[in-house]
Amino acid sequence: MLAAAGPSRPSPARVLLFTTRDFAFEAPDSVPAGLTEIREHNLGPSLHHAALYRLAEGKTLGDFLSALKPGTPFPTWATALGGPNTPVPGGWSNATVVLTPGHYAILCFISDSADHPHFALGMEREFVVTGATKARLPAADRTVDLSDYTFGIPATVPAGKQSWKFVNTAQQEHEALLVMLAPGTTVAKFGAWVEAGMKGPPPAMPMGGIAGLAPDGASEVAFDLQPGNYALICFLPDAKDGKDHWKHGMLKGFEVK
């Protein structure tokens, strides 16, 4: 399969680099407010994403980690902003957001083979955004709505470099992971592989996208899409029954040509 693409377009935003490793983030302690393109470079060898959260005033990363203990309700004071979703090991992903002043956290919620979330192994980081901003997200080539429970993506998308604005129109947090399906793999076969616990060689390659995004949130991603069959999937648990959102229908295929 094709390798994941690196940053694919000039950006009007300030660039902030997050380097991911097993199991740590490398990121600055402080960044200025404003339109920011976050670029994740995964030096692996495991899969990682950079889920971005803005913490309420007075809250710290330690408070966030304490609130993520099993059996504890997810904190309402941590707002999901949709950081870069998973690229292949050695690859890049990106997400453009407007950072306002305050305290932020980045975590990796992907689990290892023993079902330990990576943030519990050290993949968590806190940083401060300083200054002020009136920035807004720029116009994108395509808007993709995240709803309960589907993705607003057409059956066919043109190949090439393009920007997508992901907008969460639902009442709960959603993500959008883009995968390129291996030749001969259908969306149903990919779903069956996920249902079986994602054992054995993956029938799809992660291409980035948006990590968890709060209701009414928006974030942009730049893609360089080659012809082929793709799918968008959301792995987040449902607020009502705890089932992964893809089991409710948030697994949607489309063709790039």
Side-chain angles (χ1 to χ4, degrees):
M1 289 185 289
L2 296 171
S8 60
R9 62 175 168 86
S11 173
R14 178 182 291 107
V15 173
L16 173 60
L17 177 63
F18 290 166
T19 300
T20 53
R21 303 177 184 272
D22 291 6
F23 294 95
F25 288 104
E26 294 179 9
D29 295 322
S30 178
V31 301
L35 186 66
T36 305
E37 181 181 358
I38 301 172
R39 295 179 180 174
E40 178 192 347
H41 189 194
N42 182 12
L43 299 182
S46 303
L47 296 177
H48 299 298
H49 62 198
L52 177 67
Y53 289 83
R54 190 181 190 280
L55 307 181
E57 184 175 358
K59 297 296 184 180
T60 66
L61 176 60
D63 297 327
F64 195 17
L65 294 175
S66 294
L68 293 178
K69 293 179 179 178
T72 305
F74 196 89
T76 58
W77 43 262
T79 303
L81 298 182
N85 217 327
T86 313
V88 293
W92 293 82
S93 60
N94 66 86
T96 296
V97 298
V98 175
L99 295 179
T100 56
H103 285 78
Y104 290 73
I106 49 172
L107 297 89
C108 182
F109 287 91
I110 298 172
S111 296
D112 66 6
S113 59
D115 206 28
H116 299 127
H118 290 173
F119 71 79
L121 303 176
M123 287 204 72
E124 34 81 4
R125 191 82 156 79
E126 187 175 24
F127 66 96
V128 177
V129 174
T130 60
T133 183
K134 296 182 179 180
R136 296 183 178 181
L137 289 173
D141 299 314
R142 178 178 304 280
T143 297
V144 179
D145 290 337
L146 284 62
S147 62
D148 295 336
Y149 298 95
T150 190
F151 297 99
I153 188 77
T156 304
V157 172
K161 296 181 179 181
Q162 52 200 280
S163 60
W164 293 11
K165 179 182 289 186
F166 291 93
V167 180
N168 187 352
T169 60
Q171 299 301 308
Q172 58 182 308
E173 187 177 328
H174 288 299
E175 69 168 342
L177 174 64
L178 177 68
V179 298
M180 185 178 186
L181 302 178
T185 299
T186 64
V187 173
K189 288 180 179 178
F190 174 65
W193 177 77
V194 174
E195 176 70 34
M198 297 185 282
K199 306 296 183 182
M205 179 176 65
M207 301 288 290
I210 291 295
L213 187 64
D216 298 322
S219 182
E220 293 186 9
V221 178
F223 294 114
D224 187 0
L225 300 179
Q226 305 301 311
N229 292 310
Y230 292 74
L232 288 169
I233 186 169
C234 179
F235 287 100
L236 297 187
D238 191 68
K240 296 178 181 178
D241 61 16
K243 293 181 179 179
D244 290 352
H245 287 157
W246 68 267
K247 294 183 179 180
H248 286 284
M250 290 196 77
L251 170 58
K252 188 171 183 180
F254 61 97
E255 184 180 7
V256 172
K257 61 181 183 180

